[in-house]
Amino acid sequence: MLSRIADRLVPAFGRLSVTTDPGTEIAPGSIIAANHTSLADPAVVLAALHRLGVEPVVMAAAGLWRVPVLGRALVREGHVPVHRGDRRAATALDLAAQAIERGRCVLIYAEGGLPRRTDAAEAAPGSFRSGLVRLAERVGAPVVPVGQAGARRITSGSVAKQLAGLATAPVRRPDLHVHIAAPLALAGDAAARTARAHAAVTGAWRTAAAHLGEPAALTSRQGSDDRPSSGSSVVTSAQHGC
C-alpha cells in the first residue's frame, strides 16, 4: 500500500524521473541501499521503485510506528522498525533477514539518520553505519545502490521550513531524480564492504544529482567507484518484481 500511495502522491509534489544502469535488475531478496537527505525521500524512492515493479520492506525509525493510521499500515505490511540506541536494535536485522529469506527486497538507509543541515542543497551521503554490511553478510544478498536527489526541495531545514516546503511543493513541483545502479556482491572485511557500498551509493547519488544540475554533483571524484554511471536507461514502465 505504501508503495502504491507514494507512486500516486509524489507526482503531485514534484516531477520524478528515474534511470538505471544498463541491464540493472532488482532480484527478489535484494538489499536496496539509498542515501537519506529528507523526510520526503522515502516516498520518492518508493515511488521510483514502484515504477520498476518493486515494493520493498522498509527499515525506518521506530517512532513512525506511533503515528496513528500509518503505524497500523507499517505493521500490517511487515515493515521493520529500527530502535536506535536500544537493545531492540538487533531485532531489526532479524526481521529484515526474515523478509529477505521470504524473497522480499529490503530498503535500508545506511547513514542511519538525516543530515544536520538547514539548506535545500544536495551533498554526498554521510558515513555508513554497520547495519547494511551486517545484513548483507548474514543473508548473502546482493546490494542495490540507489541515489536520490531533489527531495530536499520538498522538505528540509526547520519544522516551519519543512511545512512551508510541503505546502508549496504542489505549486512549485520541483524536479526529483532517482538512479538505480547495478547490484553489488560485497566482499572483504567489514571496513572494505562498507567502503565499497558507500562509494556505490555515492556514485548513484552523484548521477541523480547531476541529472538535476546540482553543483555538488560536479565536485571532483573521490575514487574510481565514486562517479556517475554512463549510458543510463530511463525507466518508463515496470521492469522487475520483488
Side-chain angles (χ1 to χ4, degrees), residues 124-125 195-196 198-207 216-217 219-229:
R196 188 176 183 208
H198 184 271
V201 173
T202 300
W205 161 80
R206 200 181 297 281
T207 299
T219 58
S220 60
R221 309 291 183 247
Q222 297 180 358
S224 60
D225 287 330
D226 182 9
R227 58 175 180 256
S229 304

Side-chain angles (χ1 to χ4, degrees), residues 57-123:
V57 167
V58 182
M59 298 183 71
L64 294 174
W65 272 251
R66 295 193 295 269
V67 178
V69 181
L70 174 61
R72 289 195 296 272
L74 292 170
V75 171
R76 182 173 62 249
E77 297 183 16
H79 298 288
V80 177
V82 180
H83 299 268
R84 297 190 181 96
D86 188 297
R87 288 179 301 176
R88 294 170 292 178
T91 303
L93 289 184
D94 293 337
L95 295 173
Q98 291 168 17
I100 289 170
E101 289 164 358
R102 294 195 302 269
R104 296 293 305 275
C105 292
V106 170
L107 172 60
I108 185 172
Y109 290 95
E111 294 162 90
L114 292 169
R116 297 180 181 275
R117 294 189 292 111
T118 60
D119 62 287
E122 290 292 325

Side-chain angles (χ1 to χ4, degrees), residues 26-78:
I26 303 178
S30 296
I31 301 171
I32 301 170
N35 64 309
H36 199 16
T37 63
S38 164
L39 292 175
D41 68 60
V44 173
V45 171
L46 285 176
L49 292 172
H50 191 265
R51 295 187 183 184
L52 292 164
V54 176
E55 297 183 353
V57 167
V58 182
M59 298 183 71
L64 294 174
W65 272 251
R66 295 193 295 269
V67 178
V69 181
L70 174 61
R72 289 195 296 272
L74 292 170
V75 171
R76 182 173 62 249
E77 297 183 16

